[in-house]
Amino acid sequence: MKILLLDKNHPLITDQLLAKNFILEEDFTSSYDEVCNKIEQYDGVIIRSRIPLDKNFLEKGKKLKFIARVGAGMENIDIPAAEKLGIQLINSPEGNRDSVAEHVVGMLLVIMNRLFIASQEVKNGIWKREENRGDELLGKTVGLIGYGNMGKATAKRLSGFGCKVIFHDIIPGLSDEYATQVTLDELKKSAEILSLHIPLTSETHYLIDEAFIAGMEKDFYFVNTARGKNVKTKSLVNALKSGKIKGACLDVLEYEKSSFENIENENEDLIYLLQSEKALITPHIGGWTHQSKEKLAQFIVDKIVASYC
């Protein structure tokens, strides 16, 4: 089988697939149109996020048997078109679930205990203790939306901090030793921390908006390591200003490029987030550890080999 690799990944992908007699071609620079013009040559594609695989692309891939995305989200692939064409879709959410979960916990500890703010103050000769009094995770009720790989890994860690973890998911019967499944209304009533672990779909686009935030009974901390467009930024900013959201931990932003490489545009809401002490922002690195890079790649290789060797 001939496979096209469109993004740089861990070298184990190349090493192990070559050892299994796959034919590999790397192309990390060609444009969408250039790749479309040659995709009919390949049996499989391995991607991250550089190029969208839309209906036009998939229809040109006459020989395509599979698309493997090194990561969790599949929103850059036209899934209905792929399924209609009989193209297998492979991803590897198992590979970065631990790094995402640790990122969630790390961001919460930083913002709830004012660690970054206090550190910067001390480095600038400012010594404040009472003003930097923290807020403990112990005893907090954490509400997760989505209970797949990322949600479960996050629940496991937060339960170890003495949190009560509840979650809402469209799939029933997912409760386990770390978290209890509840209705969305129950989650909104109880949660003191809200964390998103959902894909970006038509149903989850702008899930967190004015109405959702207003429906939360308690003031709360908010964490998003899912997708930026799950959240309407203006609604988030207004809630931070009013105090309804006590602090926001954002690893993803509404204004990211589809490739996640940078910000597409700046506006007053983004500027507010970048300047606010109530917002902690990282550049889409929740699943971006040295260990996850290897694990993401290994899961992809294992799944390809299992299906095509």
Side-chain angles (χ1 to χ4, degrees), residues 93-104 149-150 153-154 156-157 286-287 289 292 295:
E94 309 92 340
N96 61 354
R97 59 189 172 193
D98 296 314
S99 57
V100 168
E102 291 188 14
H103 200 84
V104 171
N149 283 279
M150 314 303 174
T154 301
K156 181 177 181 179
R157 283 154 180 81
T289 61
S292 71
K295 288 188 284 187

Side-chain angles (χ1 to χ4, degrees), residues 147 152 155-160 163-167 175-180:
Y147 205 62
K152 291 175 183 177
K156 181 177 181 179
R157 283 154 180 81
L158 288 173
S159 65
C163 297
K164 177 184 178 182
V165 186
I166 57 178
F167 70 90
S175 294
D176 58 23
E177 60 186 303
Y178 304 115
T180 302

